[in-house]
Amino acid sequence: MRILLVDDVQLDRMQLAIRLKQLGHMVEAVSSGQEALDIYSDFDPELVLLDISMPGMNGFELSQKLRQQYTEWIPFIFLSGHEEPSMIAKAIDAGGDDYLIKPVDKLVLNSKLIAMQRIAFMRRELKKATAELAKVNAVLKQQVDEDGLTKLYNRRFIDSTLSEAITWHGVIIYPCH
């Protein structure tokens, strides 16, 4: 998976990045919320691991900005030394999908990553199916709008286009009886 790791503590970030790479993941590790925003679209992560307590923009604010800016859902897992249930609830309310307590246990991390890989696989398959469906819909639309023999637009296309143009120009035409 492509994992975006956001943590302001260099040692934590490096240790976790090394562990993730050893497990076969591609990791982009950054130290701030702004850096994460800057590289997000180019990196196109399949999972975001983000620390809660960071200067400038904390993990909650980053999560909310990413969820607002990018409509395609991907899982966010918050990282924090806070074990309080209220902090976990706040993380989920801020757009998080899971919560890991630092220092992150290797076995727990590996288990979470296996679950996230399943989700990433399903997302990839869904994107593929959606793209294929869009192609089929385009062909069907063409078949509906064109004469099969002449490839000229048919009456249905002309009526639809005329109706859209009339609506766009705000003209009201009453049918004659």
Side-chain angles (χ1 to χ4, degrees):
M1 283 188 302
R2 289 181 314 279
I3 300 174
L4 176 58
L5 171 61
V6 188
D7 195 327
D8 64 317
V9 179
Q10 185 176 5
L11 183 60
D12 291 350
R13 187 174 64 248
M14 288 174 55
Q15 286 177 335
L16 193 50
I18 289 168
R19 189 175 304 157
L20 294 167
K21 287 176 183 177
Q22 287 172 340
L23 292 170
H25 301 287
M26 186 179 353
V27 180
E28 187 69 45
V30 297
S31 63
S32 72
Q34 188 56 54
E35 283 182 76
L37 285 171
D38 292 343
I39 67 153
Y40 188 90
S41 64
D42 289 335
F43 184 60
D44 191 26
E46 295 173 299
L47 171 64
V48 176
L49 297 173
L50 62 158
D51 186 19
I52 290 176
S53 301
M54 296 184 291
M57 182 187 318
N58 67 38
F60 299 139
E61 294 164 332
L62 174 60
S63 172
Q64 290 171 335
K65 281 188 179 191
L66 288 172
R67 293 284 190 219
Q68 289 168 354
Q69 200 169 342
Y70 300 96
T71 56
E72 187 177 335
W73 176 86
I74 66 153
F76 289 4
I77 298 178
F78 279 100
L79 306 169
S80 178
H82 298 280
E83 298 181 38
E84 305 85 35
S86 62
M87 189 63 88
I88 296 169
K90 188 173 179 181
I92 301 304
D93 288 343
D97 300 294
D98 209 338
Y99 192 95
L100 289 171
I101 297 168
K102 289 178 169 183
V104 179
D105 180 82
K106 285 181 180 182
L107 185 60
V108 172
L109 176 65
N110 196 35
S111 297
K112 300 281 183 176
L113 291 174
I114 290 169
M116 294 300 127
Q117 282 179 297
R118 290 182 194 135
I119 292 170
F121 175 77
M122 288 186 290
R123 281 186 62 245
R124 278 187 236 120
E125 292 299 309
L126 181 59
K127 284 171 99 173
K128 239 191 290 184
T130 301
E132 290 172 15
L133 187 58
K135 287 179 187 174
V136 170
N137 281 335
V139 169
L140 289 173
K141 172 104 173 83
Q142 182 180 7
Q143 289 175 349
V144 165
D145 291 342
E146 285 182 358
D147 178 74
L149 182 61
T150 65
K151 300 297 180 196
L152 296 174
Y153 288 122
N154 60 24
R155 171 75 187 256
R156 181 184 334 228
F157 175 81
I158 294 168
D159 287 346
S160 174
T161 304
L162 181 61
S163 177
E164 287 173 18
I166 289 169
T167 302
W168 188 77
H169 286 289
V171 177
I172 299 174
I173 297 179
Y174 297 98
C176 298
H177 293 285

